[in-house]
Every structure is written in structure tokens, then in C-alpha cells.
């Protein structure tokens, strides 16, 4: 037993702590956007949006066609990204105080910094933790300012004498971090853009730098799928009267609002894309492009008027599905992956790339194997989707998604269940829960969910 312990310590020291060569481990940039839905990306098949830098990274890297968050709200999803665990495990969402210290102790920022990586963070941390400043070598936590009910919510940071959009600020901070990173160790940089999240207190909702005014100016966006009233009427009353409907009125309830909101939302994504291009130029200039892995994803999906709703929070794929890709210049290029991958997979992937031991308590899986020539045997048949925050304006819900089926129910109204055959009904139009022909499938999905839920609570 003692010999095993000594060997383990030697292994950890050789892989993780100060003294290793940067050539042994890659630099890593993890980019997280806010409310970017899975198809708000050219490479995902969107012919309307302008995202050339994201598209290039997705095309040359590994693009995950079926990427999801386990919890479609920023606070809980970001905690899951940090800790590699489901919401019902880490227990963090809005209104819960601070995230529990044991989860932070095993989080990717804490361990990667201790292992010898030079770490940085800029943008929206999104998790309430008073020890943020000690998590990174260089860190700055900022988000939209709700006290401003106009463009100042996004325009209050300065570079030199100029007040700039938060996206521009975050991009510049990334460039400065890369320039100043020490040469003797690899860096791990987390960038968390507030965009394209709407600025909720403002009437116009979406804000961007003036240089993007002409982008999409002449574009007319088609109405969303499932925008007929019947899909709204099919919702239970607590959804019809909840925050998803309120925000639909803010953004999409007239043709004028819809066109303005879509242009704003897309411009904010294109602005992030532009900053990614500048960051990559800096990597190339400094000769760090060949050893820097870039991971990209969003914290949750987004309704753009489907079912006459806005926001996220619900268990439909509009809320759950996100864009995700990994670009590793050292590995196989240009692969699309159909396996279901999750936000809880990010932390294990970061550890795997860095050569660190993945904690057994984590519930995600490493995606690093997809960067190799032969895809790994990926052991995921389903995942729990959940939104557990008990708040009057958003009905909490939970369910299970497999490749071909989706089951969910509302926690405070468990008799309302929904069941979808995703293979024949990918838009989730036909709820089969009350169809006598599908009662066995409903029972089976309910049982699977409850079994998986029990496993998470052990």
C-alpha cells in the first residue's frame, strides 16, 4: 500500500505540479458564451448568421452535433461546468447562497492552478463564491449591470479612455493575458462572455458595438418554427403565465420586435466571433497557436419565439441543446461527433488534456478521446435534465433524454408528464404521454429517470 502511494505521488508530481515543461501539456482556452443556442452558428447549418471564426474552429476541430446542458439556466449550468457534476449533486442555483466549498476544492480552476498551470478568468463567473479572487492567478469577474436600464448595462468598462462593449473588453483582456503569460508553464484561460444574453432591464434588450450596425441590416428573418398559437396553448398554465411568456412579450410579440431582437442577438454572437479571431491572431503572432487547445460552448440554449416563448429553463431541446467544439492543433482534424455530450464533461476533459487525474466523484466524461484518430467507446445512453430552482415565475422540472426519447415532468405538478419520440418528432410537437399506445414507453422512461435520479443521490 505504501509503495502504491509513493508511486501515485511521483506520478502526480511529474504530471501536474510546477517544474514540468510547457511542451508536455497544452495551453487551453475555454470559451463560454451566454444563451447561445445550438444552431446560432454557421457550421451548425445556419445560413443567416455570420460566424466565420467559430465555423473555422468547428470545421478543423471536433464538432459535437448533440451537445446539451444538464440544467438550462446560467447559475446551475456554470456550477456543473466548474465541478463536473449535476445540479442535484452540487446543489447550486440561484437563491442557494454560495456554492459549497468541497465542490470548489475539486473544481477545474482550483486544481489546475495548484497543478502548475498559469490560470486566468475574464467575464461572467455566474456562481456565487466569495473566494473567486483566489481561484485564478489573474481573474476579473464582471457581467451586465442591471442598475442601468439602457445600453450602459453592456457599456461601462473602459480600455484606455474609451468605454467599450463587454465583449470587446473580454477579448482585449484575453489578448493581454496571453501576451503576459510566463513562458516556463502552460496557461489555462477561461473566457466567459456575457453576450448574447439580452440586457433584461432595457427596452431594446440587445446591444453591440457600432461597427456591427450594418451586419444583418437588410436581413429579414423568417418566423420561428412552432410559432402557431396551438403550441403555446398546449403548455400548462404555469408556463403560459410564467417568465418564458413575459420575455416573449419583451422580445418577440410583434414583427418589429422580432426582427430587431434577432438582428441584435446575431450581431452580439458575430461580435464574439470577431474577438475570437483577434485572439487567434495573437496566438499566431506569439508562436503559441500550435500548442493551444480551444474549447467552445454555451451555458444553455435559448428560445427565439418557438411556442411563443422566450428565455430558457424548460426541458425542450431549445433550452438544452448548445453549440460545442474542441480545436486541438496537435490532433486529428475535422470530425463530427454524434454522441450526446454535456456541460458536465468539460471539467473531466480539461483534466484529461492537462494530464491530471479525474476525480471519481465527477459525473461527466472526458471528451479528449475524440481528439484521437479512433473515437473512444463513449458510455452514455441517457442523461438527466433538470431545473430545480423553486421560484414562482419559472416552474421547476426534471426529466431524462436518450438518443431517441425525451421524458419530463414538472416537479410541483408531477401528473403533467411529456413524452417525445425524438427520432420521428425532433421538434417535440406531439406529446405522447396521454396516448394509450405509448403507455409502456412512458412507464419505462419514468422508471429510467427515477433510477438515474436515485444513483445521483447516493
Amino acid at each position: 500500500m505504501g509503495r502504491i502511494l509513493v508511486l501515485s505521488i511521483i506520478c502526480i508530481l511529474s504530471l501536474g505540479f510546477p517544474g514540468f515543461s510547457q511542451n508536455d501539456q497544452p495551453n487551453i482556452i475555454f470559451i463560454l458564451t451566454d444563451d447561445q443556442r445550438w444552431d446560432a452558428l454557421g457550421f451548425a447549418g445556419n445560413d443567416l448568421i455570420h460566424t466565420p471564426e467559430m465555423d473555422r474552429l468547428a470545421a478543423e476541430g471536433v464538432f459535437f452535433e448533440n451537445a446539451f446542458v444538464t440544467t438550462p439556466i446560467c447559475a446551475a449550468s456554470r456550477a456543473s461546468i466548474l465541478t463536473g457534476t449535476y445540479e442535484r449533486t452540487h446543489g447550486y442555483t440561484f437563491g442557494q447562497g454560495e456554492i459549497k466549498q468541497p465542490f470548489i476544492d475539486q473544481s477545474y480552476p482550483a486544481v489546475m492552478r495548484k497543478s502548475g498551470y498559469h490560470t486566468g478568468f475574464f467575464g461572467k463567473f455566474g456562481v456565487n463564491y466569495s473566494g473567486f479572487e483566489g481561484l485564478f492567478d489573474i481573474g476579473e469577474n464582471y457581467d451586465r449591470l442591471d442598475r442601468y436600464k439602457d445600453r450602459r448595462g453592456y457599456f461601462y468598462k473602459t480600455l484606455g479612455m474609451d468605454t467599450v462593449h463587454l465583449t470587446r473588453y473580454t477579448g482585449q483582456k484575453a489578448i493581454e493575458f496571453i501576451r503576459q503569460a510566463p513562458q516556463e508553464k502552460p496557461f489555462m484561460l477561461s473566457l466567459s462572455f456575457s453576450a448574447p444574453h439580452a440586457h433584461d432591464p432595457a427596452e431594446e434588450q440587445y446591444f453591440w458595438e457600432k461597427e456591427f450596425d450594418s451586419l444583418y441590416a437588410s436581413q429579414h428573418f423568417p418566423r420561428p418554427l412552432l410559432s402557431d398559437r396551438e403550441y403555446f396553448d398546449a403548455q400548462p398554465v404555469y408556463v403560459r403565465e410564467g417568465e418564458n411568456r413575459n420575455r416573449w412579450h419583451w422580445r418577440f410579440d410583434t414583427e418589429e420586435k422580432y426582427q430587431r431582437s434577432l438582428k441584435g442577438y446575431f450581431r452580439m454572437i458575430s461580435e464574439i466571433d470577431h474577438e475570437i479571431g483577434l485572439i487567434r491572431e495573437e496566438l499566431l503572432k506569439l508562436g503559441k497557436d500550435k500548442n493551444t487547445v480551444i474549447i467552445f460552448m454555451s451555458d444553455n440554449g435559448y428560445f427565439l419565439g418557438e411556442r411563443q416563448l422566450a428565455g430558457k429553463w424548460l426541458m425542450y431541446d431549445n433550452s438544452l441543446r448548445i453549440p460545442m467544439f474542441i480545436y486541438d492543433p496537435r490532433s486529428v482534424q475535422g470530425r463530427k461527433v454524434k454522441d450526446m455530450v454535456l456541460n458536465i464533461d468539460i471539467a473531466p476533459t480539461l483534466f484529461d488534456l492537462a494530464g491530471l487525474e479525474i476525480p471519481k466523484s465527477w459525473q461527466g466524461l472526458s471528451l479528449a478521446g475524440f481528439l484521437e484518430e479512433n473515437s473512444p467507446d463513449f458510455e452514455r445512453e441517457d442523461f438527466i435534465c433538470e431545473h430545480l430552482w423553486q421560484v414562482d415565475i419559472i416552474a421547476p422540472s426534471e426529466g431524462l433524454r436518450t438518443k431517441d426519447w425525451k421524458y419530463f415532468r414538472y416537479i410541483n405538478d408531477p401528473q403533467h408528464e411529456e413524452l417525445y419520440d425524438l427520432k420521428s418528432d425532433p421538434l417535440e410537437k406531439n406529446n405522447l404521454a396521454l396516448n394509450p399506445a405509448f403507455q409502456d414507453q412512458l412507464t419505462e422512461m419514468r422508471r429510467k429517470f427515477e433510477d438515474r435520479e436515485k444513483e445521483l443521490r447516493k
Side-chain angles (χ1 to χ4, degrees), residues 256-269:
E256 180 184 3
K257 282 185 191 176
Y258 178 77
Q259 295 298 326
R260 184 179 69 206
S261 293
L262 264 288
K263 290 175 183 179
Y265 180 75
F266 279 25
R267 283 170 182 154
M268 293 174 81
I269 293 171

Side-chain angles (χ1 to χ4, degrees), residues 11-77:
C11 180
I12 291 171
L13 287 172
S14 66
L15 287 174
F17 288 87
F20 58 69
S21 166
Q22 184 174 355
N23 294 328
D24 297 331
Q25 295 171 296
N27 303 313
I28 304 173
I29 300 177
F30 172 47
I31 299 173
L32 184 66
T33 59
D34 197 328
D35 283 358
Q36 184 177 355
R37 54 189 271 152
W38 76 273
D39 60 352
L41 184 72
F43 192 75
N46 189 325
D47 296 330
L48 301 176
I49 198 165
H50 182 74
T51 53
E53 296 296 334
M54 296 179 193
D55 297 344
R56 189 173 298 114
L57 287 168
E60 295 177 0
V62 176
F63 179 72
F64 298 96
E65 297 182 294
N66 294 292
F68 300 89
V69 295
T70 52
T71 306
I73 188 170
C74 60
S77 179

Side-chain angles (χ1 to χ4, degrees), residues 133-191:
E133 291 184 358
L135 273 180
F136 303 91
D137 290 299
I138 301 173
E140 188 176 351
N141 178 16
Y142 51 87
D143 191 14
R144 301 170 296 108
L145 289 183
D146 281 353
R147 72 172 180 266
Y148 295 125
K149 301 185 184 303
D150 51 33
R151 70 189 299 274
R152 289 174 295 174
Y154 261 108
F155 287 86
Y156 66 91
K157 288 285 191 179
T158 58
L159 294 173
M161 300 296 292
D162 298 325
T163 302
V164 298
H165 192 281
L166 290 185
T167 296
R168 173 79 277 272
Y169 184 82
T170 301
Q172 185 59 35
K173 287 297 177 180
I175 290 170
E176 293 172 4
F177 175 89
I178 294 167
R179 286 174 181 167
Q180 297 165 9
Q183 296 299 313
E184 66 274 11
K185 58 170 69 174
F187 67 74
M188 164 68 216
L189 173 60
S190 297
L191 298 177

Side-chain angles (χ1 to χ4, degrees), residues 84-154:
T85 59
Y86 281 94
E87 179 188 1
R88 67 187 63 221
T89 297
H90 61 65
Y92 180 81
T93 189
F94 287 110
Q96 305 298 312
E98 290 200 5
I99 189 170
K100 297 179 181 68
Q101 188 65 42
F103 290 100
I104 284 293
D105 290 341
Q106 283 197 328
S107 68
Y108 83 77
V111 179
M112 292 190 77
R113 185 183 184 192
K114 289 177 182 176
S115 77
Y117 264 82
H118 178 66
T119 61
F121 182 97
F122 298 99
K124 175 181 176 178
F125 192 59
V127 173
N128 186 8
Y129 179 61
S130 57
F132 169 82
E133 291 184 358
L135 273 180
F136 303 91
D137 290 299
I138 301 173
E140 188 176 351
N141 178 16
Y142 51 87
D143 191 14
R144 301 170 296 108
L145 289 183
D146 281 353
R147 72 172 180 266
Y148 295 125
K149 301 185 184 303
D150 51 33
R151 70 189 299 274
R152 289 174 295 174
Y154 261 108

Side-chain angles (χ1 to χ4, degrees), residues 10 49 64 79 117 125-126 129 132 136 166 213 237 239-240 274 277 339 350 443 449 454 458:
I10 292 171
I49 198 165
F64 298 96
Y117 264 82
F125 192 59
Y129 179 61
F132 169 82
F136 303 91
L166 290 185
D213 283 349
V237 64
V239 174
R240 297 198 307 269
H274 177 71
D339 298 77
L350 292 171
T443 300
F449 165 74
K454 286 177 185 175
K458 286 180 181 177

